[in-house]
Amino acid sequence: MSTWNDPAGGFLAVSTPDYLPRARLAEIQLQRLRSVVTRAYERVDLFRLRMEERKLTPASIRGLEDLQQLPFTVKNDLRDTYPFGLFASPMEEIVRLHASSGTTGKPIVVAYTREDLQVWQEVIVRTLASCGVHRGDVIQNAYGYGLFTGGLGLHYGGEGLGATVIPISGGNTERQLMVMQDFGVTVICSTPSYFLHLIEASQAMNKPVGVRVGVFGAEPWSESMRQRIQADTGIRAFDIYGLSEIIGPGVGAECQAQAGLHIFEDHFLPEIINPDTGKVLPDGTEGELVLTTLSKQAMPMIRYRTRDVTTLVSEPCSCGRTLRRIRRIERRSDDMFIIRGVNVFPSQVETALLQVEGTLPHYEIVLTRDKGLDQMDVRVEVTPEVFSDKMRSLEAVHRKLGDAIEHVLGIRVSVSLVEPRSIARSEGKAKRVVDKRKL
Amino acid sequence: MEIPQISIFLENRAGGLADVTDVLASNGIDIRALALADMADFGILRLIVDDPDRTRTLLKAAGFTADKTRVLAVEVTDRPGGLASILRLLRGGKVNVEYMYSATPTKSGRAVFIFRFDELDRAIDVLRDAGVAILPSLNAV
Ligand SMILES: [Zn+2]
């Protein structure tokens, strides 16, 4: 661990696996895959029963491609075995529990041994280094602390890197802005939507945002949103990726090239599948991301279906990392909804909103059903940029928004202009869709 | 010549207007003229106040989208056809009126109208050439 504390900008020993030759990486992956499958088979009923159904044993894993024979794990498996059914370590070896809030019913619980926490810290150190954060940086960690993995995950990674971490957690916008200004903050970690909220508030209070790097994750956001954040604030905004079921943040991160997120493949093995057939797709094809943990002890995850839609990129990256990348995740297969027979992703609506000049993406999609007919209303906050004193101009903006959405979706939906801050700000993941169609 | 006007975006919801006037009242801002332009779903509230810059800051801090625009306050002689003669003048000068509304009459009982023009300078020229009184502010009327 002491080798992590390298001087600013220097070579970070912990980042070595980022640059391993692919052949060497594959050796490590296979060795770890066999050991994690053995662990899951021997210690977790669900994994053993599913493998037995398919007449598989740990010995069936002879090469990395044999992973494809193993059954998938889905989020419901965690709910069905709530709270501890997928643990592969006794409680005496488990040193931390986190839980993610399910939108309905019970949360899902995840566990870490001491070694798991070390791996977690290591991958966050690599995440932050990849985003250009180094010793001497002052990190304002506005991810929520607590059961959510974001806060503590980034916290220990930041400390591991040797940076200064301010554990401010989410919320209390005024205090966030005060700390940002007074403590010489150079790095902000938060969800992108919360950062947009901070920018907005800082403009209202005439406090400039003087941060160099933004480490943003925990919700899908778009490239156009990045461009806007970077143009408005002068910071460099990086996307990071992770999910509690796998480890929390630290599964993958963008590098200085900002062209996809490198997956820390020595710990997490990615696959892309066709979400309908489950068939593995070749690199370069879009599909659902599936992850297998290669070193997790307390809670190994075999072929976990993330519901995130992306593409695996195997072309070399200009940064020199040999790790494959995923394209930034702009949508989840879960987020998709169907309206009047059309598949809609919130990200498509976001793209349309951004095309109309000056519209910051504070919006909400409300779905209702009126006499059996589905209605979709896009509520968009009126920013100073689009506001006009002339009714004609405001109506023109209103119409342009409707046109842009129709152009992207192929259907006409209603658009409501609403007052600023009338859409609830989340301190965690932004909730873009309110479906009131439940009967 | 022109005077500042504050325009505010409002949704058509119960209490929206009251939210604005509450902010102004609790900060001692005096409203000299007010007009609400209304569509089905949203509206624009236009205000002439005694301290426009402070009003704008207060409303922004309260979460409203507010903008400052320039309008003319025109005094109209108190006789039938007074307004019509002004509008005729503007039409003759090919000056387009974006919108207009009436303000509280002066103490001497003269009507005051607020005009918003696209071509403000031309409007000023046309009105001044015809000897129409353009008020420098509503604070003294
Ligand atoms: Zn790279």
Side-chain angles (χ1 to χ4, degrees):
Chain A
M1 298 251 295
S2 57
T3 52
W4 294 8
N5 297 327
D6 287 290
F11 179 73
L12 209 57
V14 74
S15 294
T16 312
D18 292 8
Y19 304 92
L20 280 178
R22 291 295 306 183
R24 175 69 193 120
L25 179 64
E27 285 172 22
I28 294 171
Q29 286 176 323
L30 179 58
Q31 181 208 332
R32 290 183 176 172
L33 177 65
R34 296 169 84 154
S35 123
V36 81
V37 170
T38 304
R39 187 177 181 90
Y41 181 86
E42 287 174 353
R43 297 179 177 225
V44 183
D45 292 345
L46 180 121
F47 291 129
R48 185 179 53 257
L49 291 171
R50 286 196 181 157
M51 284 177 67
E52 281 171 359
E53 271 171 27
R54 295 173 182 227
K55 310 220 177 332
L56 295 169
T57 66
S60 315
I61 304 294
R62 279 182 286 269
L64 282 175
E65 64 286 353
D66 292 323
L67 176 66
Q68 297 184 18
Q69 303 175 43
L70 295 176
F72 293 114
T73 310
V74 297
K75 192 163 204 159
N76 266 339
D77 293 330
L78 284 100
R79 296 208 181 98
D80 293 345
T81 56
Y82 174 87
F84 304 150
L86 294 187
F87 290 7
S89 300
M91 206 52 92
E92 296 78 53
E93 288 169 21
I94 289 171
V95 298
R96 175 97 63 83
L97 297 177
H98 277 282
S100 90
S101 59
T103 40
T104 49
K106 299 271 191 193
I108 57 158
V109 183
V110 296
Y112 304 77
T113 63
R114 194 167 298 284
E115 289 77 9
D116 289 335
L117 288 185
Q118 273 165 16
V119 168
W120 194 15
Q121 186 179 33
E122 178 202 309
V123 287
I124 301 282
V125 169
R126 289 159 68 183
T127 292
L128 291 170
S130 186
C131 299
V133 181
H134 48 69
R135 207 172 156 187
D137 269 322
V138 179
I139 300 176
Q140 180 161 349
N141 187 14
Y143 283 112
Y145 279 64
L147 286 179
F148 173 55
T149 49
L152 287 177
L154 266 300
H155 179 96
Y156 288 109
E159 288 188 358
L161 182 69
T164 309
V165 181
I166 307 167
I168 191 162
S169 194
N172 198 340
T173 301
E174 254 176 70
R175 182 200 292 255
Q176 298 273 358
L177 292 172
M178 183 198 78
V179 163
M180 196 177 283
Q181 182 117 324
D182 296 352
F183 292 12
V185 168
T186 55
V187 178
I188 175 94
C189 300
S190 74
T191 59
S193 56
Y194 188 57
F195 185 66
L196 280 179
H197 170 60
L198 285 180
I199 298 176
E200 207 177 61
S202 83
Q203 282 160 354
M205 296 178 182
N206 295 320
K207 280 186 184 169
V209 175
V211 179
R212 189 185 86 248
V213 174
V215 179
F216 299 126
E219 69 187 14
W221 52 307
S222 61
E223 182 58 31
S224 32
M225 195 157 152
R226 187 226 301 275
Q227 295 305 338
R228 186 160 293 269
I229 288 176
Q230 295 195 153
D232 284 358
T233 64
I235 74 163
R236 292 199 78 204
F238 295 92
D239 191 16
I240 64 169
Y241 177 70
L243 59 170
S244 303
E245 300 91 311
I246 297 301
I247 198 160
V251 175
E254 281 188 330
C255 61
Q256 296 302 304
Q258 292 185 322
L261 295 82
H262 291 283
I263 297 287
F264 298 114
E265 286 185 273
D266 48 327
H267 294 298
F268 315 105
L269 197 56
E271 301 171 275
I272 296 289
I273 63 162
N274 175 325
D276 298 324
T277 64
K279 240 178 85 87
V280 174
L281 300 172
D283 287 2
T285 314
E286 187 178 78
E288 181 182 336
L289 178 66
V290 170
L291 291 166
T292 298
T293 63
L294 292 177
S295 44
K296 272 287 270 315
Q297 294 187 336
M299 203 167 160
M301 214 36 86
I302 309 291
R303 302 195 84 198
Y304 184 73
R305 292 187 60 161
T306 63
R307 296 288 166 192
D308 289 322
V309 178
T310 184
T311 305
L312 259 178
V313 180
S314 44
E315 282 80 38
C317 181
S318 60
C319 75
R321 284 178 178 77
T322 52
L323 304 168
R324 279 182 294 173
R325 288 168 284 164
I326 53 169
R327 295 235 164 87
R328 57 188 295 114
I329 290 161
E330 298 197 353
R331 57 197 210 209
R332 294 174 54 87
S333 53
D334 279 356
D335 286 344
M336 194 196 78
F337 57 89
I338 299 174
I339 182 117
R340 289 177 233 155
V342 178
N343 292 356
V344 177
F345 287 98
S347 59
Q348 293 175 290
V349 174
E350 195 171 300
T351 304
L353 297 183
L354 280 159
Q355 277 166 4
V356 180
E357 197 187 346
T359 304
L360 267 172
H362 274 307
Y363 71 96
E364 178 177 75
I365 298 167
V366 181
L367 305 176
T368 50
R369 181 166 291 163
D370 184 26
K371 298 188 185 84
L373 190 66
D374 285 347
Q375 304 292 346
M376 171 173 157
D377 183 33
V378 183
R379 290 160 46 80
V380 186
E381 289 188 1
V382 172
T383 58
E385 287 77 18
V386 298
F387 177 59
S388 167
D389 165 60
K390 300 178 199 165
M391 195 52 95
R392 274 189 286 137
S393 315
L394 209 48
E395 285 182 284
V397 168
H398 189 212
R399 199 172 46 245
K400 261 193 267 174
L401 288 169
D403 291 347
I405 294 169
E406 182 176 6
H407 184 74
V408 172
L409 300 185
I411 51 168
R412 190 82 194 173
V413 302
S414 84
V415 174
S416 298
L417 297 181
V418 299
E419 287 165 24
R421 294 174 233 195
S422 56
I423 295 171
R425 298 293 187 271
S426 61
E427 274 142 25
K429 300 183 187 206
K431 197 165 185 301
R432 299 299 194 191
V433 183
V434 181
D435 196 339
K436 297 179 174 167
R437 293 181 294 182
K438 307 282 177 326
L439 297 171
Chain B
M1 271 297 139
E2 69 262 20
I3 59 173
Q5 171 193 260
I6 302 298
S7 305
I8 302 131
F9 177 82
L10 279 184
E11 275 170 63
N12 280 357
R13 59 178 171 88
L17 186 55
D19 287 350
V20 174
T21 50
D22 277 354
V23 170
L24 302 189
S26 61
N27 287 283
I29 301 278
D30 201 7
I31 300 174
R32 304 290 181 180
L34 173 152
L36 183 61
D38 232 357
M39 292 293 297
D41 301 314
F42 54 83
I44 301 171
L45 177 65
R46 293 158 184 149
L47 295 175
I48 312 284
V49 291
D50 57 351
D51 191 345
D53 288 324
R54 198 166 143 248
T55 300
R56 195 173 169 206
T57 310
L58 288 168
L59 288 172
K60 278 196 168 181
F64 289 97
T65 292
D67 202 12
K68 196 165 91 171
T69 44
R70 299 180 307 160
V71 293
L72 290 188
V74 176
E75 200 180 53
V76 178
T77 43
D78 195 16
R79 58 174 172 77
L83 175 62
S85 68
I86 302 271
L87 291 175
R88 238 185 341 260
L89 263 175
L90 293 166
R91 185 177 62 197
K94 293 199 174 2
V95 180
N96 184 43
V97 178
E98 189 66 46
Y99 58 79
M100 57 161 294
Y101 57 95
S102 69
T104 325
T106 59
K107 282 183 191 124
S108 53
R110 293 186 157 213
V112 177
F113 287 93
I114 307 295
F115 283 87
R116 166 87 149 99
F117 301 101
D118 261 344
E119 296 166 286
L120 186 67
D121 293 336
R122 245 186 74 201
I124 293 174
D125 287 344
V126 169
L127 293 170
R128 234 194 314 197
D129 288 351
V132 173
I134 302 174
L135 301 178
S137 88
L138 291 189
N139 288 352
V141 298

